[in-house]
Amino acid sequence: MIVEEKSPFQRIAIFDTVANGRVLVLDDIVQITTRDESAYAEMLVHLPLLEHGKVERVMIVGGGDLSIADEALKHKGVKEVVLVDIDGRVVELCRAHFPGINSKAFRDRRLNIQIADAFDYLGRAEARARFDLIIADRPDPVGPGKALFGDNFYRRVRRALRAGGYATFQTGVPFYQPWEIADAISELKLHFQAFGFYLTVVPTYVGGFMALSWAGTGKPLGTRAGITAATRRFTSAKLQTDYYNPEIHAAAFAFPQWVKRLLPKAAQNRRR
């Protein structure tokens, strides 16, 4: 065991494993491993960012390990990444013990770390219409994490997005948490003109596919035109990735039949 302590908000553990590399656990729930973090962070960041094409300001809700910030900062057009995490101790410990996935981010002057409640931060005047991309690296909807779900949260996210912006959200493992997709879609449709979800596979999160929901103030994600544009931008940017590529981008919007059945009618046939 490398770290085992309790912050004012949660129990924190960091340890090494043979199969998955270094692991971060919060309140006995695995958050990240160095072996497969790319399948999560890269898909939350690169897919919407490359389809948008002109992202300048990114907000990350949570994300204290900074793996998501590191991915966003790979894009030269990004001028600022604001990471808002309530637990500063997580940020400190991850800086010390996960340098392989965040050392570049910590050295980047475009990174702005705010130790604060992300729900409260989104309600501030300074957040209004500020961001082109908001990424919610949120826990499951239990305990304090409930504030990062539901109408009030999505309303604040919508308020903080610029015209044409996108937000992406962790939405559980549909094999074991099938209700999360339907709940998210039903709530997103009340606040956004475009919404949906796509899939990634993170072996650490048991159950196969992980759902990542998205919402936007402009064009839908996952259209042929959007994927074509993302492919061109990916090639031009010469991004170094471990999971994301244009083929994975397109495949993320292909759903098994059992996953399709989890969708409420509001989310059916939204791609053009």
Side-chain angles (χ1 to χ4, degrees), residues 127-148:
R128 182 184 288 273
R130 179 176 177 181
F131 301 103
D132 302 295
L133 176 61
I134 297 175
I135 301 167
D137 181 16
R138 60 191 182 183
D140 290 328
V142 294
K146 287 183 179 179
L148 304 180

Side-chain angles (χ1 to χ4, degrees), residues 73-74 79 103-112:
L73 290 164
K74 289 180 179 180
K79 296 180 179 179
S103 61
K104 290 182 180 179
F106 275 112
R107 294 195 303 268
D108 199 307
R109 294 182 180 180
R110 296 173 293 166
L111 179 65
N112 175 3

Side-chain angles (χ1 to χ4, degrees), residues 8-259:
F9 302 97
Q10 56 203 333
R11 294 186 302 278
I12 306 169
I14 298 174
F15 51 88
D16 287 330
T17 67
V18 174
N20 295 314
R22 187 155 292 180
V23 181
L24 169 68
V25 175
L26 301 178
D27 284 340
D28 301 322
I29 299 174
V30 174
Q31 303 297 311
I32 189 173
T33 80
T34 53
R35 184 170 184 189
D36 64 8
E37 56 83 22
S38 62
Y40 180 71
E42 291 180 7
M43 292 298 281
L44 279 168
V45 174
H46 300 311
L47 189 151
L49 198 152
L50 288 168
E51 284 209 35
H52 185 290
K54 296 182 179 179
V55 170
E56 295 184 344
R57 286 183 168 79
V58 178
M59 177 185 172
I60 302 169
V61 174
D65 55 73
L66 267 79
S67 61
I68 291 173
D70 184 77
E71 295 303 324
L73 290 164
K74 289 180 179 180
H75 295 265
K76 295 180 180 179
V78 171
K79 296 180 179 179
E80 180 184 38
V81 172
V82 180
L83 184 144
V84 186
D85 197 302
I86 199 170
D87 197 337
R89 188 59 179 151
V90 170
V91 176
E92 292 173 1
L93 290 170
C94 287
R95 181 172 192 171
H97 298 294
F98 287 89
I101 64 174
N102 64 29
S103 61
K104 290 182 180 179
F106 275 112
R107 294 195 303 268
D108 199 307
R109 294 182 180 180
R110 296 173 293 166
L111 179 65
N112 175 3
I113 297 176
Q114 298 284 323
I115 304 303
D117 185 311
F119 181 81
D120 291 341
Y121 182 90
L122 284 164
R124 297 178 188 176
E126 66 189 85
R128 182 184 288 273
R130 179 176 177 181
F131 301 103
D132 302 295
L133 176 61
I134 297 175
I135 301 167
D137 181 16
R138 60 191 182 183
D140 290 328
V142 294
K146 287 183 179 179
L148 304 180
F149 292 78
D151 281 347
N152 289 334
F153 175 65
Y154 294 127
R155 186 178 296 111
R156 292 192 176 195
V157 170
R158 173 65 181 83
R159 176 181 175 272
L161 282 176
R162 298 173 67 183
Y166 294 110
T168 54
F169 313 88
Q170 185 276 114
T171 315
V173 178
F175 192 81
Y176 291 116
Q177 300 164 304
W179 60 88
E180 288 203 26
I181 290 177
D183 288 352
I185 295 301
S186 295
E187 291 166 344
L188 290 171
K189 72 177 183 179
L190 301 176
H191 303 285
F192 297 90
Q193 65 190 58
F195 54 86
F197 79 103
Y198 54 96
L199 300 174
T200 187
V201 179
V202 187
T204 296
Y205 302 142
V206 177
F209 294 114
M210 168 166 272
L212 305 177
S213 56
W214 66 270
T217 61
K219 299 177 180 179
L221 288 177
T223 64
R224 288 186 179 181
I227 294 170
T228 298
T231 300
R232 183 178 66 252
R233 291 165 185 149
F234 177 79
T235 302
S236 177
K238 299 180 180 179
L239 293 176
Q240 297 298 309
T241 57
D242 289 316
Y243 186 89
Y244 175 90
N245 59 41
E247 294 81 11
I248 287 290
H249 185 135
F253 294 92
F255 309 140
Q257 288 300 107
W258 66 267
V259 172

